[in-house]
């Protein structure tokens, strides 16, 4: 009986790991650069097509390795030009990847987990519970797919510089908390910024975290990617309700950790503070004034995100007047403030709406369904009595 060979998936290997892999095969480390360029710059997954390596090495790779991509099972195109792809990962769960084209840039929002353990109250992903961490190949595979689907692996156009990649910016803001899948996310970031892979600027690759402080403290030893923090409240009492991880890592501790990370970077970047505005919850004038005072000694940019409704939530989107007033108070305090334009909401791709299909191990999704059913039944009983 012949033994089944477990093949190494080269898609998710950072350059140091790919070099180590070739050394383990008694090959020269420079082979790693050749193969990496074929995979990530030319979009090639067939070893036979890698014409600058010997046939004997190609045969060896076919026996021992593979380039296995996550399976894209569905595609949606929004009326505003955004794409959403449903990606099936090894656990059987499905995650979502969103492509957002804008003037002068094209952003890919990448998922790092199937579901999420944090259960932030404004986020549809958390209501799905949690199944698994994505592998590095499943994370970077979302970027590979976007470039493949949108012709980003084509030869650069004349006068277009070294690349005409479909994706210019990455935000780790899809499903999951990236820093709870630390090792795989760090390797994926390496590939995104590696000159022999995607070559994206550290200013154009952003990790968004709800505030996992020990992981932020570790980041300086692994990456110099940009950082965004999901704050969403100006005090611990309110943030405990909206972002439950705050009970473990309160605001003061989070801001200290972020300042330390930013101080470790070789340039003068500042973090982005993300603040989802929820009608009647955290969008009052006093919240804006309190936020301005909180961030007084914390250099940052502030991104206001009007809440995007989804089925499992009773939260409401704030009025345009509330959003504008909140922004003006912060601007008067000399903050740089942007308001995120809602994109892709007609296909459920807007911020906070990503759901996917999670084989929930936490039972959380079942609890939310039961609560929703009870709430609907109560509303029906009240209607009948009236």
């Amino acid at each position: 009986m012949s033994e089944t060979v477990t093949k190494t998936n080269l898609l998710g290997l950072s350059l140091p790991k790919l070099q180590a892999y070739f050394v383990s095969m008694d090959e020269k480390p420079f082979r790693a650069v050749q193969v990496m360029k074929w995979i990530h710059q030319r979009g090639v997954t067939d070893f036979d097509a890698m014409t600058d390596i010997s046939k004997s090495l190609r045969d060896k790779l076919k026996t021992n390795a593979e380039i296995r991509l996550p399976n894209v099972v569905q595609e949606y195109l929004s009326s505003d030009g955004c794409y959403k792809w449903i990606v099936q990962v090894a656990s059987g769960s499905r995650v979502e990847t969103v492509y957002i084209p804008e003037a002068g840039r094209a952003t890919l929002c990448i998922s790092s987990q199937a579901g999420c353990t944090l259960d932030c109250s404004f986020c549809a992903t958390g209501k799905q519970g949690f199944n698994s961490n994505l592998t590095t190949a499943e994370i970077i595979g979302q970027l590979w797919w976007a470039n493949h689907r949108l012709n980003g692996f084509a030869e650069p156009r004349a006068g277009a510089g070294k690349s005409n990649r479909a994706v210019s910016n990455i935000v780790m803001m899809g499903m999951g908390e990236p820093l709870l899948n630390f090792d795989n996310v760090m390797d994926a970031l390496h590939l995104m910024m590696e000159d022999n892979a995607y070559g994206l600027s550290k200013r154009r690759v952003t990790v968004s975290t709800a505030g996992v402080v020990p992981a932020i403290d570790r980041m300086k030893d692994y990456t110099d990617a940009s950082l965004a923090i999901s704050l969403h409240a100006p005090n611990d009492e309110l943030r405990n309700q909206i972002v439950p991880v705050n009970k473990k890592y309160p605001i003061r501790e989070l801001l200290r950790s972020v300042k330390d990370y930013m101080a470790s970077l070789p340039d003068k970047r500042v973090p982005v503070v993300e603040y989802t505005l929820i009608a009647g919850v955290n969008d009052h004038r006093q919240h804006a004034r309190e936020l301005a005072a909180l961030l007084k000694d914390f250099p940052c940019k502030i991104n206001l995100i009007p809440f995007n409704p989804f089925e499992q939530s009773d939260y409401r989107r704030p009025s345009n007047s509330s959003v504008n007033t909140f922004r003006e108070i912060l601007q008067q305090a000399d903050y740089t403030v942007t308001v995120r334009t809602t994109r892709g909401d007609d296909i459920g791709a807007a911020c906070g709406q990503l759901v996917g299909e999670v084989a929930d191990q936490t039972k959380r999704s079942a609890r939310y369904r039961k609560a929703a059913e009870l709430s609907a039944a109560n509303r029906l009983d009240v209607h009948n009595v009236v």
Side-chain angles (χ1 to χ4, degrees), residues 121-122 242 276-283 307 315-318:
S121 65
F122 61 89
I242 299 174
T276 297
L277 289 164
I278 306 165
V281 176
N282 65 349
D283 66 336
F307 174 72
Y315 283 162
R316 293 176 293 108
R317 187 182 180 88

Side-chain angles (χ1 to χ4, degrees), residues 307-321:
F307 174 72
N308 293 301
F310 57 92
E311 187 177 345
Q312 300 96 329
S313 176
D314 293 328
Y315 283 162
R316 293 176 293 108
R317 187 182 180 88
S319 67
N320 289 339
S321 175

Side-chain angles (χ1 to χ4, degrees), residues 5-13 21 35 39 45-47 50 60-69:
V5 176
T6 301
K7 295 186 175 183
T8 300
N9 187 5
L10 304 188
L11 179 68
L13 297 187
Y21 176 75
V35 172
I39 298 171
T45 58
D46 179 0
F47 293 121
M50 298 180 182
K60 191 187 297 188
L61 287 172
K62 285 189 289 185
T63 300
N64 298 286
E66 62 183 344
I67 302 165
R68 186 176 70 255
L69 294 154

Side-chain angles (χ1 to χ4, degrees), residues 226-238:
S226 297
L227 189 62
I229 56 172
S230 295
L231 193 62
H232 313 303
N235 59 68
D236 285 324
E237 182 180 6
L238 182 55

Side-chain angles (χ1 to χ4, degrees), residues 13-49:
L13 297 187
S14 64
L15 183 57
K17 290 184 178 180
L18 193 56
Q19 289 171 330
Y21 176 75
F22 277 99
V23 169
S24 74
M25 296 174 66
D26 295 323
E27 298 286 344
K28 299 294 184 182
F30 76 87
R31 296 297 183 193
V33 171
Q34 291 177 300
V35 172
M36 179 168 281
K37 287 181 176 179
W38 280 109
I39 298 171
H40 298 291
Q41 294 188 354
R42 297 168 182 160
V44 172
T45 58
D46 179 0
F47 293 121
D48 281 329

Side-chain angles (χ1 to χ4, degrees), residues 25 146 163 206 234 242 301 310 359 367 374:
M25 296 174 66
S163 174
T206 300
I242 299 174
K301 297 177 182 178
F310 57 92
R367 292 197 299 272
L374 288 172

Side-chain angles (χ1 to χ4, degrees), residues 3 30 33 69 112-113 124 157 173 181 199 221 233 322 329 336 362 366:
E3 292 185 9
F30 76 87
V33 171
L69 294 154
S112 57
Q113 295 182 308
R157 300 180 298 274
M173 296 181 187
N181 186 10
D221 296 324
S322 293
I329 291 171
T336 299
T362 66

